[in-house]
Amino acid sequence: MKNQKETIRKMVTYLNNEEKDGGFWLPNIQRPFVWSEEQIERLFDSIMREYPISTLLVWRTNAKIKCRKFIDHYKQSLKLFDFYVTENNQVKLLVLDGQQRLQAMFIGLKGSYERKELFFNVLSGDLVAPEDIRYQFKFLNADKVKFPWIKFKDIIFNHNKFNTIAQSIIALQDDLSNEEKSRIFDNVALAINQFCSLEFLIYQELDSVDNPEAYQEEDVVEIFIRANSGGTQLGKSDLLFSLLTSSWDDADEELEALIDELNRSGYSFTRDFILKTCITLLDKGAQYDVNKFRDGVTREEIIKNWDNIANAIKDVKDFLFGKTFLQTDKAVPSYLALIPIIYFRYHYPKKWSNIQQLDTYILRTLLTGAFSGNPDKLIDKLTRKIKETEEFNVKQLFGVIRADGRNLEITESNILGQHYSSKYIHIYFNLWYQRFDYHPAYYANLPQIDHIFPQSVLRKIKTINPNTGRKDILKYLQFDRDQIANCMLLTAQENGAGGKKDILPEHWFSNNKDDTYLDLHLIPKERELWKLDNYQQFIEARKKLILEKFSFMIQTNI
């Protein structure tokens, strides 16, 4: 192993460029790029502040290994398989540790982030606390940018001397103070030094070309795992995926295709969930353990049974969407509750259509948060019970959940305790408003939670302060305003421009709202209750209607 040094400007030109020792590429074991705009901006601030950014790890090899290009113009909608390069036996450099940092530099200096380019505020640089931003970078649309924001790549890839670059920036501006001119000279000089002159990047090179016996492919996968498992950047599911892709070339394509299909309906299934489901279905236990993949057996079982695994997951997703009315990610606070169902569907497909009260199992476990915290042991207990009985008996499984110390009871206080931003309110609304289209094409068209009595109005109502005798205390605190009894679900059109906004209920409900509309929203029909002075009476009347709506859940405690 040897250490190499390089300037940042040279390094980003070596990415995807075969002229430099075959070029720098990403091996298939690497996960997708996950950094946000802010993380990239902070990295550039760190470099300008001369903070170290850790050593990179690179593998020099001529093995015929699947790899991909670095992304220059990043968009979240991109698919990794669009960046694969043809496998070959040529010498190349594969980045094992440092992908996120190199990819961030490549996007900032050579490309864009969601069509926005990286700009630098050439007047920034005032002393700040260590955790604050000193040198300001921002991804912006080029056609909307004004001084002092300068496209950073135009500075870094300008091969003139720093004072010439600085002077050209100053010449375009009028009325700059001497202090501002000096700041521009200092910042440009610092940028050229950090990105173009200083060999700021250090990378360790594992050489399998000149020393082929030292680093075999399995050794490199192990090194990759050890290099990444100590930090927080790479989770255990990513490490398992790394081992899986080392023996399954199409792993990422298959996973991405499955996740895309699952999430077209409005859900947010993740690779993490799929991998946990895989090891559970194969009776390896739900807990992540890299050793499960090291022996190769688990990997081969996943590859061999992938079609059946994928079909089981898709069948359960279809049931969730079609039979429970939980048709959006907001209404599914934990996908882990689905794993025991998928386990049953995978192992006993012929019995799948005969399950009784499956919707009850899903709704009750989600509404009570039965799979919150760390549920791996609970998942294992449930799958053992399913394997023992070869049935999905909801009453028995609820017994297992309760024996694990988890609550399954739904009470009146559970329901009435929901509020505007609570974790479970969308589950109740999905059950309540089953006629609403909860899976539109665009997120902006989703139904929206609205306050019946507007918050802006309720916040203005004050009551007498017993200490001062003045009306200076809020009469309705946040929960009073946000409680479910003051919330309704409106279509995006109703709640958008020209819609309800801050209209009081006595006007909103009187405006062409018939009994069907009032019944849908569980609105008391006594018009006097719609007046602001009768807010508390309205709330009490509506609580009764809500409890009647969900009485079937309170009374059916299996």
Side-chain angles (χ1 to χ4, degrees):
M1 185 184 295
K2 56 184 178 181
N3 285 347
Q4 308 273 34
K5 294 182 179 180
E6 200 53 87
T7 67
I8 294 175
R9 182 169 70 181
K10 282 186 179 179
M11 177 61 83
V12 296
T13 64
Y14 296 157
L15 305 182
N16 305 344
N17 185 355
E18 295 181 0
E19 292 181 9
K20 169 62 178 176
D21 209 2
F24 286 75
W25 313 88
L26 291 167
N28 195 37
I29 58 177
Q30 283 281 19
R31 65 170 173 170
F33 180 65
V34 296
W35 276 20
S36 65
E37 292 180 32
E38 182 183 359
Q39 286 175 290
I40 300 175
E41 293 157 5
R42 281 188 170 274
L43 174 66
F44 278 78
D45 173 59
S46 296
I47 295 170
M48 289 287 283
R49 292 170 81 160
E50 303 179 56
Y51 289 176
I53 60 170
S54 301
T55 302
L56 312 174
L57 183 63
V58 174
W59 179 30
R60 183 170 180 259
T61 180
N62 56 7
K64 193 174 182 180
I65 290 175
K66 194 170 188 177
C67 56
R68 65 180 188 269
K69 295 185 290 185
F70 283 83
I71 300 168
D72 49 3
H73 298 288
Y74 174 79
K75 292 186 290 186
Q76 287 188 340
S77 59
L78 293 174
K79 305 300 180 188
L80 289 187
F81 47 75
D82 291 333
F83 292 86
Y84 286 143
V85 295
T86 304
E87 296 176 34
N88 59 69
N89 293 316
Q90 298 173 1
V91 174
K92 49 193 161 288
L93 297 161
L94 302 182
V95 177
L96 301 179
D97 185 29
Q99 177 210 174
Q100 305 294 326
R101 285 163 283 164
L102 283 178
Q103 182 66 82
M105 294 175 200
F106 196 49
I107 289 169
L109 295 175
K110 283 287 193 177
S112 60
Y113 195 106
E114 297 289 355
R115 300 182 179 179
K116 294 178 288 186
E117 294 180 275
L118 187 66
F119 283 77
F120 173 48
N121 181 350
V122 290
L123 296 181
S124 63
D126 292 331
L127 290 174
V128 294
E131 68 272 15
D132 294 333
I133 295 295
R134 179 175 180 182
Y135 296 96
Q136 297 173 7
F137 289 87
K138 202 74 180 170
F139 282 96
L140 302 167
N141 292 312
D143 58 346
K144 299 180 180 178
V145 175
K146 295 181 181 179
F147 183 82
W149 293 96
I150 303 295
K151 191 182 296 184
F152 195 56
K153 65 183 71 168
D154 289 348
I155 296 176
I156 301 307
F157 287 97
N158 186 327
H159 293 279
N160 290 314
K161 293 182 179 180
F162 83 88
N163 56 345
T164 303
I165 300 171
Q167 191 59 53
S168 67
I169 295 172
I170 293 170
L172 295 173
Q173 308 304 321
D174 297 324
D175 301 325
L176 289 176
S177 67
N178 289 333
E179 183 180 354
E180 289 173 327
K181 292 177 182 177
S182 178
R183 174 63 60 85
I184 292 172
F185 271 102
D186 289 346
N187 280 344
V188 172
L190 179 60
I192 296 300
N193 182 65
Q194 290 299 105
F195 287 84
C196 308
S197 304
L198 185 68
E199 291 183 330
F200 188 80
L201 288 178
I202 301 173
Y203 63 92
Q204 292 180 315
E205 186 180 283
L206 311 175
D207 193 345
S208 291
V209 176
D210 296 335
N211 192 4
E213 299 301 320
Y215 305 108
Q216 300 294 319
E217 187 173 343
E218 287 296 319
D219 297 320
V220 171
V221 172
E222 183 65 26
I223 291 169
F224 171 78
I225 289 172
R226 294 189 185 188
N228 285 282
S229 60
T232 59
Q233 291 296 316
L234 205 63
K236 284 191 175 181
S237 66
D238 297 296
L239 300 178
L240 297 182
F241 182 71
S242 302
L243 285 166
L244 182 61
T245 55
S246 69
S247 57
W248 186 17
D249 287 342
D250 297 327
D252 46 1
E253 293 178 46
E254 293 285 353
L255 272 172
E256 280 199 44
L258 175 60
I259 291 170
D260 282 349
E261 184 173 349
L262 294 173
N263 292 340
R264 276 183 212 140
S265 307
Y267 298 121
S268 292
F269 287 91
T270 63
R271 188 171 73 184
D272 183 278
F273 172 84
I274 302 298
L275 288 176
K276 184 180 285 288
T277 300
C278 285
I279 57 178
T280 303
L281 299 192
L282 298 176
D283 291 315
K284 308 292 182 181
Q287 184 176 8
Y288 283 136
D289 184 351
V290 176
N291 289 324
K292 293 176 182 178
F293 278 56
R294 277 200 173 102
D295 62 6
V297 175
T298 303
R299 285 180 279 172
E300 292 306 316
E301 287 186 40
I302 290 176
I303 296 169
K304 178 182 176 182
N305 296 291
W306 176 251
D307 287 344
N308 289 334
I309 291 171
N311 287 335
I313 296 172
K314 286 188 283 188
D315 262 2
V316 173
K317 187 276 297 185
D318 288 345
F319 181 91
L320 181 70
F321 185 83
K323 302 296 184 181
T324 68
F325 297 98
L326 305 182
Q327 298 175 343
T328 172
D329 176 62
K330 285 187 175 183
V332 188
S334 173
Y335 289 85
L336 298 180
L338 304 178
I339 293 181
I341 309 173
I342 298 169
Y343 183 92
F344 184 81
R345 162 60 183 81
Y346 175 79
H347 286 281
Y348 310 103
K350 293 182 179 179
K351 296 182 177 182
W352 161 246
S353 60
N354 297 324
I355 299 179
Q356 301 295 312
Q357 297 183 303
L358 183 54
D359 56 343
T360 299
Y361 165 87
I362 294 173
L363 294 171
R364 194 167 290 277
T365 54
L366 291 181
L367 285 168
T368 57
F371 283 79
S372 59
N374 185 355
D376 286 349
K377 291 182 180 179
L378 173 61
I379 292 172
D380 291 343
K381 291 176 183 178
L382 291 169
T383 54
R384 280 198 297 270
K385 173 60 73 173
I386 292 170
K387 190 173 184 178
E388 170 193 324
T389 62
E390 298 187 2
E391 298 290 345
F392 197 94
N393 185 302
V394 172
K395 186 173 183 179
Q396 288 181 352
L397 296 180
F398 278 179
V400 172
I401 294 171
R402 290 188 175 101
D404 197 56
R406 296 170 184 261
N407 178 46
L408 284 169
E409 315 318 318
I410 296 173
T411 64
E412 292 184 0
S413 60
N414 290 147
I415 298 170
L416 298 179
Q418 299 303 312
H419 54 85
Y420 181 79
S421 56
S422 64
K423 187 175 182 181
Y424 304 110
I425 194 169
H426 275 278
I427 306 180
Y428 286 100
F429 277 154
N430 269 253
L431 296 172
W432 177 340
Y433 291 94
Q434 293 178 6
R435 282 181 282 161
F436 266 58
D437 177 10
Y438 234 82
H439 49 284
Y442 299 101
Y443 179 81
N445 294 334
L446 282 170
Q448 299 164 8
I449 299 176
D450 180 72
H451 292 84
I452 298 173
F453 284 80
Q455 278 210 86
S456 58
V457 175
L458 294 176
R459 278 197 295 259
K460 294 177 182 177
I461 301 175
K462 304 292 178 63
T463 189
I464 295 176
N465 185 332
N467 296 322
T468 64
R470 295 194 297 268
K471 275 193 173 185
D472 57 6
I473 294 180
L474 278 175
K475 183 174 183 179
Y476 301 113
L477 302 180
Q478 184 171 349
F479 180 79
D480 299 321
R481 305 189 303 265
D482 285 354
Q483 60 185 302
I484 193 173
N486 189 38
C487 290
M488 63 192 295
L489 206 61
L490 296 181
T491 63
Q493 183 178 7
E494 285 181 303
N495 207 30
K500 180 176 179 296
K501 293 189 176 180
D502 290 342
I503 298 175
L504 285 165
E506 63 178 312
H507 302 300
W508 178 255
F509 295 138
S510 298
N511 184 21
N512 298 320
K513 303 297 188 294
D514 58 17
D515 283 355
T516 301
Y517 185 91
L518 298 177
D519 290 339
L520 172 65
H521 294 287
L522 303 182
I523 303 300
K525 293 176 182 175
E526 300 169 57
R527 290 175 176 263
E528 282 297 307
L529 297 181
W530 302 351
K531 295 182 178 180
L532 184 59
D533 289 342
N534 296 325
Y535 175 69
Q536 199 55 54
Q537 293 95 311
F538 173 90
I539 291 296
E540 292 306 315
R542 195 159 184 258
K543 282 181 180 179
K544 292 179 181 178
L545 294 175
I546 292 172
L547 291 178
E548 287 175 13
K549 178 77 175 181
F550 290 104
S551 61
F552 72 98
M553 302 188 69
I554 300 170
Q555 296 167 3
T556 314
N557 282 317
I558 298 177

